[in-house]
Amino acid sequence: MSEVFTLSRQVEFNHCDPAGIVFYPRYFEMISAVQERFFADALGASWADMTPAGFGTPMGEINVRFAAPSRLGDRLDFTLEIARLGGASAELAITCHSAGELRFTCRATIVHVSLAETKSARWPEALRGKMTAYLQDQRKKTA
């Protein structure tokens, strides 16, 4: 069974529109924060270390399906798994719930990039090895 990275955060005033509902672009900031925490906390490869070393993980593609609104004060629970791991890319499967209710699902493709060359670069083997623990279980892919 694969591991799942989880992160919780509360919806704050700065996330909301005047009606007290999360303004949808803020979800993209939250998705980026989940990705950043995943690399730092689960993989031991913080962006603060990667960037000076000349590497990054920019977004190549993102698709979000919104299911229900989130409001000021809600506690959001995010999960992240890796749906696909390529030579220099990874497709992340991120879900967000609040009190058991689905708020959104996300599929995001990130690319491991050499910042000096501004082109894709293979995942370092040590990092790739850690990432494989978060690959979605094959049974989930066929379900």
Side-chain angles (χ1 to χ4, degrees):
M1 192 80 169
S2 67
E3 292 189 44
V4 177
F5 177 75
T6 60
L7 182 72
S8 293
R9 71 179 308 164
Q10 187 170 0
V11 174
E12 299 171 345
F13 182 78
N14 60 300
H15 298 135
C16 298
D17 62 18
I21 297 171
V22 173
F23 182 46
Y24 76 93
R26 299 294 178 249
Y27 280 127
F28 290 93
E29 293 171 350
M30 293 179 200
I31 290 166
S32 181
V34 170
Q35 178 190 348
E36 183 172 358
R37 295 287 11 118
F38 171 67
F39 272 85
D41 301 343
L43 304 178
S46 74
W47 288 356
D49 293 334
M50 265 197 279
T51 303
F55 294 96
T57 57
M59 193 67 62
E61 182 178 350
I62 190 167
N63 184 334
V64 179
R65 178 96 166 139
F66 299 104
S70 297
R71 294 178 171 28
L72 181 62
D74 285 353
R75 170 72 51 192
L76 302 180
D77 300 311
F78 298 91
T79 62
L80 181 152
E81 294 178 278
I82 298 177
R84 184 191 56 77
L85 183 59
S89 66
E91 182 181 351
L92 308 179
I94 300 170
T95 60
C96 176
H97 289 84
S98 181
E101 179 184 34
L102 180 65
R103 298 305 169 90
F104 71 78
T105 58
C106 171
R107 289 291 183 140
T109 301
I110 58 171
V111 181
H112 185 252
V113 171
S114 164
L115 299 176
E117 298 175 30
T118 59
K119 65 179 189 177
S120 65
R122 290 193 63 78
W123 294 107
E125 285 305 315
L127 182 58
R128 183 183 181 77
K130 291 177 184 177
M131 293 172 81
T132 60
Y134 293 89
L135 276 169
Q136 284 182 330
D137 191 56
Q138 291 300 317
R139 288 173 285 145
K140 289 182 187 176
K141 286 185 177 181
T142 59

